[in-house]
Amino acid sequence: MSGFGDGYVGTAQDAVKIRRLEKQREAERRKIEELKNKSEDGQPGLLQFGSSTSEILETAFKKETVGLVTREQYVEKRVNIRTKIEEEEKEKLQKLQQEEEELQMQKRKKRRVKGDPRLSFCDDIENGSDEDDFEKQETKKNGPVKLGKDPTVETSFLPDREREAEEQAERERLKKQWLHEQELIKNEPLSITYSYWDGTGHRRVIQVRKGDSIGEFLRAIQQQLAPEFREVRTTSVENLLYVKEDLIIPHQHSFYELIINKARGKSGPLFHFDVHEDVRTIADATKEKDESHAGKVVERHWYEKNKHIFPASRWEIYDPTKKWERYTIHGD
């Protein structure tokens, strides 16, 4: 194509850009030449630029020890130069730390300026930033910060060893207190009206403890009746039976057990041991009678011979698990 010489030279804007780039390259070449010339002249500023502490020390020491010097002067100058360089480095380090602190202060001030002072929580934002910085510093020094419990949070449903230990101790204390109270009750005296039955009744009264068993009670009765009744004197305690409200009470049961369980028999309560009648003037079949009859003490041989005859025909062995609703009607 004619008119373009050896090739396409571009637009006027491209020519301007090319001239500007050439000027920049030329300026860079001049700067590099100047730096080379200065480094060859040995200026301290260029020697220190990009050099280590040992290189700076060696360069400065060479300048101070030009010509002949004594050994003492040689050592003294080297020590002085090293001390001076170390002091300069310390000053630079302190200056850098000071500049870093000032930069942090400026950042904090900028944060405060961003917060609107008209807002009620502006102070909280400022305090929060300071606390955050403090927490970061503490974390670096002492490791992660352990958070405590929030006393306002409901935690009663969570497992708590201390609370469980206190509850267990309280249960143990109440248990011991209850056992102590029961022992006091068992040691209380109990007067029992009974009737030795050999076909006719022989009513007596004897005093035992509430905690005594039926076997212990029958042993005391044997001692009481032995002078008067020969068959009682010659028999053993195992061959004596105690019948209360038409139930034969086994020897292992205690009066305390009957009282605490409010046990009932066919014709009345087993936990009343005196003799009294229901004195209500109007009989009500829906109300349970509160009569208490004297218990009978009989010799086993007599019972085996007469158990088919009234009243022995009504007697049954006492069973704590058996209820006697068909014999007694409970009221409100």
Side-chain angles (χ1 to χ4, degrees), residues 249-266:
I249 312 297
H251 289 199
Q252 71 270 18
H253 294 289
S254 67
F255 295 105
Y256 169 80
E257 178 185 342
L258 300 174
I259 293 169
I260 212 74
N261 294 324
K262 295 188 178 297
R264 301 201 65 84
K266 287 184 176 184

PDB file of all heavy atoms in Angstrom, residues 249-266:
ATOM      1  N   ILE A 249     -51.901 -64.765 113.890  1.00  0.00           N
ATOM      2  CA  ILE A 249     -50.748 -63.937 113.523  1.00  0.00           C
ATOM      3  C   ILE A 249     -49.482 -64.762 113.694  1.00  0.00           C
ATOM      4  O   ILE A 249     -49.167 -65.214 114.801  1.00  0.00           O
ATOM      5  CB  ILE A 249     -50.666 -62.663 114.390  1.00  0.00           C
ATOM      6  CG1 ILE A 249     -52.031 -61.963 114.470  1.00  0.00           C
ATOM      7  CG2 ILE A 249     -49.593 -61.723 113.839  1.00  0.00           C
ATOM      8  CD1 ILE A 249     -52.546 -61.465 113.157  1.00  0.00           C
ATOM      9  N   PRO A 250     -48.700 -65.007 112.627  1.00  0.00           N
ATOM     10  CA  PRO A 250     -47.447 -65.763 112.750  1.00  0.00           C
ATOM     11  C   PRO A 250     -46.463 -65.084 113.696  1.00  0.00           C
ATOM     12  O   PRO A 250     -46.491 -63.859 113.906  1.00  0.00           O
ATOM     13  CB  PRO A 250     -46.910 -65.796 111.317  1.00  0.00           C
ATOM     14  CG  PRO A 250     -48.125 -65.639 110.459  1.00  0.00           C
ATOM     15  CD  PRO A 250     -49.030 -64.711 111.223  1.00  0.00           C
ATOM     16  N   HIS A 251     -45.564 -65.873 114.260  1.00  0.00           N
ATOM     17  CA  HIS A 251     -44.654 -65.394 115.306  1.00  0.00           C
ATOM     18  C   HIS A 251     -43.677 -64.328 114.806  1.00  0.00           C
ATOM     19  O   HIS A 251     -43.207 -63.519 115.606  1.00  0.00           O
ATOM     20  CB  HIS A 251     -43.872 -66.579 115.889  1.00  0.00           C
ATOM     21  CG  HIS A 251     -44.716 -67.481 116.726  1.00  0.00           C
ATOM     22  ND1 HIS A 251     -44.186 -68.367 117.635  1.00  0.00           N
ATOM     23  CD2 HIS A 251     -46.064 -67.653 116.809  1.00  0.00           C
ATOM     24  CE1 HIS A 251     -45.148 -69.045 118.225  1.00  0.00           C
ATOM     25  NE2 HIS A 251     -46.309 -68.635 117.725  1.00  0.00           N
ATOM     26  N   GLN A 252     -43.334 -64.331 113.507  1.00  0.00           N
ATOM     27  CA  GLN A 252     -42.288 -63.408 113.032  1.00  0.00           C
ATOM     28  C   GLN A 252     -42.777 -61.969 112.880  1.00  0.00           C
ATOM     29  O   GLN A 252     -41.969 -61.041 112.808  1.00  0.00           O
ATOM     30  CB  GLN A 252     -41.700 -63.889 111.696  1.00  0.00           C
ATOM     31  CG  GLN A 252     -42.624 -63.769 110.498  1.00  0.00           C
ATOM     32  CD  GLN A 252     -43.451 -65.020 110.300  1.00  0.00           C
ATOM     33  OE1 GLN A 252     -43.580 -65.837 111.236  1.00  0.00           O
ATOM     34  NE2 GLN A 252     -44.009 -65.205 109.114  1.00  0.00           N
ATOM     35  N   HIS A 253     -44.086 -61.765 112.814  1.00  0.00           N
ATOM     36  CA  HIS A 253     -44.615 -60.397 112.682  1.00  0.00           C
ATOM     37  C   HIS A 253     -44.512 -59.657 114.008  1.00  0.00           C
ATOM     38  O   HIS A 253     -44.537 -60.260 115.079  1.00  0.00           O
ATOM     39  CB  HIS A 253     -46.062 -60.429 112.204  1.00  0.00           C
ATOM     40  CG  HIS A 253     -46.222 -60.961 110.812  1.00  0.00           C
ATOM     41  ND1 HIS A 253     -45.833 -60.278 109.696  1.00  0.00           N
ATOM     42  CD2 HIS A 253     -46.732 -62.147 110.373  1.00  0.00           C
ATOM     43  CE1 HIS A 253     -46.076 -60.998 108.609  1.00  0.00           C
ATOM     44  NE2 HIS A 253     -46.631 -62.145 108.996  1.00  0.00           N
ATOM     45  N   SER A 254     -44.397 -58.323 113.919  1.00  0.00           N
ATOM     46  CA  SER A 254     -44.286 -57.492 115.125  1.00  0.00           C
ATOM     47  C   SER A 254     -45.501 -56.588 115.252  1.00  0.00           C
ATOM     48  O   SER A 254     -46.223 -56.332 114.288  1.00  0.00           O
ATOM     49  CB  SER A 254     -43.001 -56.653 115.073  1.00  0.00           C
ATOM     50  OG  SER A 254     -43.086 -55.696 114.021  1.00  0.00           O
ATOM     51  N   PHE A 255     -45.706 -56.087 116.469  1.00  0.00           N
ATOM     52  CA  PHE A 255     -46.807 -55.146 116.700  1.00  0.00           C
ATOM     53  C   PHE A 255     -46.560 -53.842 115.934  1.00  0.00           C
ATOM     54  O   PHE A 255     -47.501 -53.216 115.439  1.00  0.00           O
ATOM     55  CB  PHE A 255     -46.956 -54.871 118.202  1.00  0.00           C
ATOM     56  CG  PHE A 255     -47.370 -56.080 118.981  1.00  0.00           C
ATOM     57  CD1 PHE A 255     -46.476 -56.763 119.775  1.00  0.00           C
ATOM     58  CD2 PHE A 255     -48.681 -56.543 118.915  1.00  0.00           C
ATOM     59  CE1 PHE A 255     -46.867 -57.885 120.491  1.00  0.00           C
ATOM     60  CE2 PHE A 255     -49.078 -57.667 119.631  1.00  0.00           C
ATOM     61  CZ  PHE A 255     -48.163 -58.344 120.417  1.00  0.00           C
ATOM     62  N   TYR A 256     -45.280 -53.447 115.833  1.00  0.00           N
ATOM     63  CA  TYR A 256     -44.935 -52.236 115.072  1.00  0.00           C
ATOM     64  C   TYR A 256     -45.388 -52.367 113.623  1.00  0.00           C
ATOM     65  O   TYR A 256     -45.937 -51.421 113.052  1.00  0.00           O
ATOM     66  CB  TYR A 256     -43.420 -52.013 115.142  1.00  0.00           C
ATOM     67  CG  TYR A 256     -42.907 -50.959 114.195  1.00  0.00           C
ATOM     68  CD1 TYR A 256     -43.007 -49.608 114.495  1.00  0.00           C
ATOM     69  CD2 TYR A 256     -42.315 -51.320 112.975  1.00  0.00           C
ATOM     70  CE1 TYR A 256     -42.528 -48.640 113.621  1.00  0.00           C
ATOM     71  CE2 TYR A 256     -41.839 -50.361 112.103  1.00  0.00           C
ATOM     72  CZ  TYR A 256     -41.949 -49.030 112.430  1.00  0.00           C
ATOM     73  OH  TYR A 256     -41.496 -48.076 111.562  1.00  0.00           O
ATOM     74  N   GLU A 257     -45.175 -53.532 113.041  1.00  0.00           N
ATOM     75  CA  GLU A 257     -45.590 -53.773 111.650  1.00  0.00           C
ATOM     76  C   GLU A 257     -47.099 -53.649 111.493  1.00  0.00           C
ATOM     77  O   GLU A 257     -47.590 -53.049 110.531  1.00  0.00           O
ATOM     78  CB  GLU A 257     -45.114 -55.164 111.229  1.00  0.00           C
ATOM     79  CG  GLU A 257     -45.517 -55.565 109.825  1.00  0.00           C
ATOM     80  CD  GLU A 257     -45.133 -56.994 109.509  1.00  0.00           C
ATOM     81  OE1 GLU A 257     -44.280 -57.552 110.229  1.00  0.00           O
ATOM     82  OE2 GLU A 257     -45.698 -57.562 108.552  1.00  0.00           O
ATOM     83  N   LEU A 258     -47.852 -54.223 112.437  1.00  0.00           N
ATOM     84  CA  LEU A 258     -49.315 -54.146 112.361  1.00  0.00           C
ATOM     85  C   LEU A 258     -49.808 -52.712 112.531  1.00  0.00           C
ATOM     86  O   LEU A 258     -50.737 -52.277 111.852  1.00  0.00           O
ATOM     87  CB  LEU A 258     -49.939 -55.049 113.436  1.00  0.00           C
ATOM     88  CG  LEU A 258     -49.595 -56.546 113.344  1.00  0.00           C
ATOM     89  CD1 LEU A 258     -50.160 -57.291 114.553  1.00  0.00           C
ATOM     90  CD2 LEU A 258     -50.140 -57.142 112.057  1.00  0.00           C
ATOM     91  N   ILE A 259     -49.135 -51.976 113.412  1.00  0.00           N
ATOM     92  CA  ILE A 259     -49.553 -50.589 113.686  1.00  0.00           C
ATOM     93  C   ILE A 259     -49.228 -49.693 112.498  1.00  0.00           C
ATOM     94  O   ILE A 259     -50.061 -48.905 112.037  1.00  0.00           O
ATOM     95  CB  ILE A 259     -48.874 -50.071 114.964  1.00  0.00           C
ATOM     96  CG1 ILE A 259     -49.385 -50.838 116.191  1.00  0.00           C
ATOM     97  CG2 ILE A 259     -49.137 -48.569 115.145  1.00  0.00           C
ATOM     98  CD1 ILE A 259     -48.584 -50.583 117.454  1.00  0.00           C
ATOM     99  N   ILE A 260     -47.994 -49.821 111.970  1.00  0.00           N
ATOM    100  CA  ILE A 260     -47.552 -48.909 110.912  1.00  0.00           C
ATOM    101  C   ILE A 260     -48.310 -49.141 109.616  1.00  0.00           C
ATOM    102  O   ILE A 260     -48.539 -48.217 108.824  1.00  0.00           O
ATOM    103  CB  ILE A 260     -46.018 -49.048 110.697  1.00  0.00           C
ATOM    104  CG1 ILE A 260     -45.411 -47.704 110.271  1.00  0.00           C
ATOM    105  CG2 ILE A 260     -45.682 -50.104 109.675  1.00  0.00           C
ATOM    106  CD1 ILE A 260     -45.305 -46.702 111.345  1.00  0.00           C
ATOM    107  N   ASN A 261     -48.731 -50.393 109.384  1.00  0.00           N
ATOM    108  CA  ASN A 261     -49.486 -50.731 108.164  1.00  0.00           C
ATOM    109  C   ASN A 261     -50.995 -50.646 108.346  1.00  0.00           C
ATOM    110  O   ASN A 261     -51.730 -50.880 107.382  1.00  0.00           O
ATOM    111  CB  ASN A 261     -49.110 -52.145 107.694  1.00  0.00           C
ATOM    112  CG  ASN A 261     -47.677 -52.243 107.242  1.00  0.00           C
ATOM    113  OD1 ASN A 261     -47.140 -51.317 106.653  1.00  0.00           O
ATOM    114  ND2 ASN A 261     -47.033 -53.370 107.539  1.00  0.00           N
ATOM    115  N   LYS A 262     -51.430 -50.342 109.565  1.00  0.00           N
ATOM    116  CA  LYS A 262     -52.868 -50.274 109.883  1.00  0.00           C
ATOM    117  C   LYS A 262     -53.584 -51.523 109.353  1.00  0.00           C
ATOM    118  O   LYS A 262     -54.567 -51.455 108.610  1.00  0.00           O
ATOM    119  CB  LYS A 262     -53.500 -49.003 109.306  1.00  0.00           C
ATOM    120  CG  LYS A 262     -52.953 -47.722 109.931  1.00  0.00           C
ATOM    121  CD  LYS A 262     -53.723 -46.515 109.497  1.00  0.00           C
ATOM    122  CE  LYS A 262     -53.196 -45.254 110.171  1.00  0.00           C
ATOM    123  NZ  LYS A 262     -53.338 -45.282 111.625  1.00  0.00           N
ATOM    124  N   ALA A 263     -53.022 -52.663 109.734  1.00  0.00           N
ATOM    125  CA  ALA A 263     -53.549 -53.954 109.253  1.00  0.00           C
ATOM    126  C   ALA A 263     -54.950 -54.190 109.805  1.00  0.00           C
ATOM    127  O   ALA A 263     -55.291 -53.772 110.914  1.00  0.00           O
ATOM    128  CB  ALA A 263     -52.609 -55.080 109.679  1.00  0.00           C
ATOM    129  N   ARG A 264     -55.766 -54.919 109.016  1.00  0.00           N
ATOM    130  CA  ARG A 264     -57.141 -55.213 109.414  1.00  0.00           C
ATOM    131  C   ARG A 264     -57.379 -56.713 109.340  1.00  0.00           C
ATOM    132  O   ARG A 264     -56.792 -57.427 108.543  1.00  0.00           O
ATOM    133  CB  ARG A 264     -58.131 -54.488 108.505  1.00  0.00           C
ATOM    134  CG  ARG A 264     -57.982 -52.982 108.489  1.00  0.00           C
ATOM    135  CD  ARG A 264     -59.245 -52.308 108.019  1.00  0.00           C
ATOM    136  NE  ARG A 264     -60.338 -52.534 108.947  1.00  0.00           N
ATOM    137  CZ  ARG A 264     -60.551 -51.812 110.049  1.00  0.00           C
ATOM    138  NH1 ARG A 264     -59.744 -50.826 110.358  1.00  0.00           N
ATOM    139  NH2 ARG A 264     -61.570 -52.083 110.836  1.00  0.00           N
ATOM    140  N   GLY A 265     -58.270 -57.165 110.225  1.00  0.00           N
ATOM    141  CA  GLY A 265     -58.675 -58.558 110.225  1.00  0.00           C
ATOM    142  C   GLY A 265     -60.104 -58.708 109.756  1.00  0.00           C
ATOM    143  O   GLY A 265     -60.694 -57.794 109.170  1.00  0.00           O
ATOM    144  N   LYS A 266     -60.682 -59.862 110.035  1.00  0.00           N
ATOM    145  CA  LYS A 266     -62.050 -60.120 109.588  1.00  0.00           C
ATOM    146  C   LYS A 266     -63.074 -59.282 110.342  1.00  0.00           C
ATOM    147  O   LYS A 266     -64.085 -58.852 109.784  1.00  0.00           O
ATOM    148  CB  LYS A 266     -62.385 -61.606 109.773  1.00  0.00           C
ATOM    149  CG  LYS A 266     -61.712 -62.525 108.780  1.00  0.00           C
ATOM    150  CD  LYS A 266     -62.206 -63.946 109.015  1.00  0.00           C
ATOM    151  CE  LYS A 266     -61.631 -64.886 107.984  1.00  0.00           C
ATOM    152  NZ  LYS A 266     -62.170 -66.260 108.142  1.00  0.00           N
TER     153      LYS A 266
END
